[in-house]
Amino acid sequence: MESKEIVRWQDMEALRRFQMIAPLVADGVDPARRVELRKEIARNHDVSERTVRRYEAAYRSNAFEGLKPVSRISGDV
């Protein structure tokens, strides 16, 4: 069972990721503008464009839940 601290951390990280990609997932963003936004976001947040694309895809697939990092702490190791 995950501790409340881990769940809280996952929620906070998902929120950080959402805030990062929010301009990308807004309605009506032109595809060319989306490419420029990804570059800008990656540069401003010191992450790769691939990471930004992964966050965007995760959000589009599973909404906010998709942005939560997976806990690597497990008793099944």
Side-chain angles (χ1 to χ4, degrees), residues 36-70:
E36 290 304 314
L37 278 171
R38 283 188 196 108
K39 291 177 184 178
E40 186 178 316
I41 290 167
R43 192 172 44 250
N44 291 342
H45 292 274
D46 198 29
V47 296
S48 68
E49 287 181 53
R50 180 175 184 260
T51 295
V52 175
R53 286 192 309 270
R54 285 178 37 238
Y55 292 166
E56 182 182 3
Y59 179 79
R60 290 186 189 284
S61 295
N62 298 307
F64 189 78
E65 286 296 313
L67 295 174
K68 290 183 180 183
V70 176

Side-chain angles (χ1 to χ4, degrees), residues 10-20 64 67:
Q10 289 171 322
D11 289 342
M12 294 303 293
E13 183 62 17
L15 178 59
R16 185 188 71 80
R17 291 173 180 182
F18 177 76
Q19 290 171 332
M20 183 187 309
F64 189 78
L67 295 174

